Amino acid sequence: MLSAGQVRWAYVPFEDRPGGKKRPVLILEVLADRAIVLEGRSKWKDGLTLLLALDSGHADALRIQLWRATYFYAENLREIRSDDIERCVGTLSKGETERVIRELNEL
């Protein structure tokens, strides 16, 4: 069952061309058959609004099993189909999830 704060692998369609890619996503809200997510990126991007970095320095990173550091930027907010969301690799603390949502809403 999907819930806010989960980090899961998902098939995320490209916005500018056909196809897509499997990426980690942070679930922010679950709708009927869709979910609002932040799409994770493996590279640091200057000029984007970083909301969360899951790396060795983050307390939740020890519980979330990703292969490498993952960065969640406000600019990568997406709505995707729930059917495209797969395996859960961990869950953020409730406080950290609320912080990310609050910061996103303040933008």
Side-chain angles (χ1 to χ4, degrees), residues 5-12 23-28 37-40 66 70 72 78 80 84-86 89-90:
Q6 289 179 335
V7 177
R8 289 180 169 257
W9 283 101
Y11 176 81
V12 181
R23 294 188 179 274
V25 297
L26 170 61
I27 298 175
L28 300 177
V37 303
L38 282 177
E39 179 183 350
L66 294 170
T70 301
F72 295 92
R78 302 287 303 274
I80 62 174
D84 290 334
I85 300 173
E86 301 174 1
V89 294

Side-chain angles (χ1 to χ4, degrees), residues 6-99:
Q6 289 179 335
V7 177
R8 289 180 169 257
W9 283 101
Y11 176 81
V12 181
F14 295 129
E15 292 183 293
D16 58 348
R17 64 185 185 274
K21 185 175 185 178
K22 282 196 179 182
R23 294 188 179 274
V25 297
L26 170 61
I27 298 175
L28 300 177
E29 184 178 358
V30 179
L31 308 170
D33 63 343
R34 304 187 70 72
I36 306 298
V37 303
L38 282 177
E39 179 183 350
R41 299 299 174 119
S42 61
K43 295 183 180 163
W44 175 265
K45 306 271 185 177
D46 285 328
L48 296 182
T49 309
L50 181 66
L51 295 172
L52 177 67
L54 289 177
D55 56 22
S56 59
H58 191 282
D60 286 329
L62 297 176
R63 294 191 328 267
I64 297 175
Q65 301 163 357
L66 294 170
W67 300 324
R68 59 179 132 182
T70 301
Y71 304 97
F72 295 92
Y73 300 98
E75 290 81 1
N76 295 126
L77 182 67
R78 302 287 303 274
E79 182 176 322
I80 62 174
R81 295 173 352 116
S82 297
D83 289 346
D84 290 334
I85 300 173
E86 301 174 1
R87 179 174 64 91
C88 183
V89 294
T91 304
L92 289 181
S93 65
K94 183 177 180 186
E96 187 72 351
T97 303
E98 290 171 349
R99 180 196 63 77

